[in-house]
Amino acid sequence: MHPGARYADIRPYTVPESLSELAGPTSGVVSLPLSLDWSQQRRYDLTIEKDRRRLYETVIREAMDVSELRRFLDGGLLLHLWPSLWLPVRAKSLWQERFPQLRSAAAA
């Protein structure tokens, strides 16, 4: 890291090749592994909007392999949730560069 650089500016984020490969659950309760969520509450009830958003924010921030994105995220649900997700600027930018439809969803 060069002098003056912030970790947030260089932190790696995993982004899939396509939204269609994201075929994770859209209902039920999802338990994340410790590698993604080391908090005491790693269970997310997808019938609860707040839980859905927190799950997606956590997985997008913490996934180090595309297989984790495929396992826990759903492309259609991601499009729906995108405008309400609270993500690091760099993560949001990387995803929106790859998927212009996310940028459109955020602007709507």
Side-chain angles (χ1 to χ4, degrees):
M1 192 157 72
H2 64 280
R6 297 176 313 151
Y7 179 68
D9 297 331
I10 62 166
R11 185 194 190 289
Y13 292 102
T14 304
V15 182
E17 290 298 318
S18 71
L19 291 181
S20 63
E21 69 186 279
L22 303 178
T26 58
S27 62
V29 175
V30 175
S31 295
L32 291 179
L34 279 171
S35 60
L36 290 176
D37 187 345
W38 49 91
S39 71
Q40 291 181 347
Q41 183 197 342
R42 295 188 317 269
R43 294 172 51 86
Y44 300 87
D45 184 342
L46 296 180
T47 64
I48 300 171
E49 180 78 16
K50 180 180 173 185
D51 276 13
R52 285 194 304 259
R53 284 194 318 268
R54 286 184 42 240
L55 171 78
Y56 275 61
E57 291 164 354
T58 301
V59 172
I60 289 170
R61 274 193 329 269
E62 303 301 331
M64 296 305 280
D65 188 88
V66 72
S67 65
E68 294 171 316
L69 299 173
R70 290 181 191 130
R71 180 177 174 195
F72 295 109
L73 304 181
D74 175 79
L77 187 52
L78 176 63
L79 273 169
H80 170 75
L81 292 173
W82 190 256
S84 64
L85 296 181
W86 186 263
L87 296 167
V89 171
R90 180 167 157 68
K92 193 166 207 163
S93 175
L94 290 169
W95 279 75
Q96 288 183 167
E97 286 171 15
R98 172 86 37 98
F99 306 112
Q101 61 269 48
L102 294 176
R103 183 177 296 117
S104 297

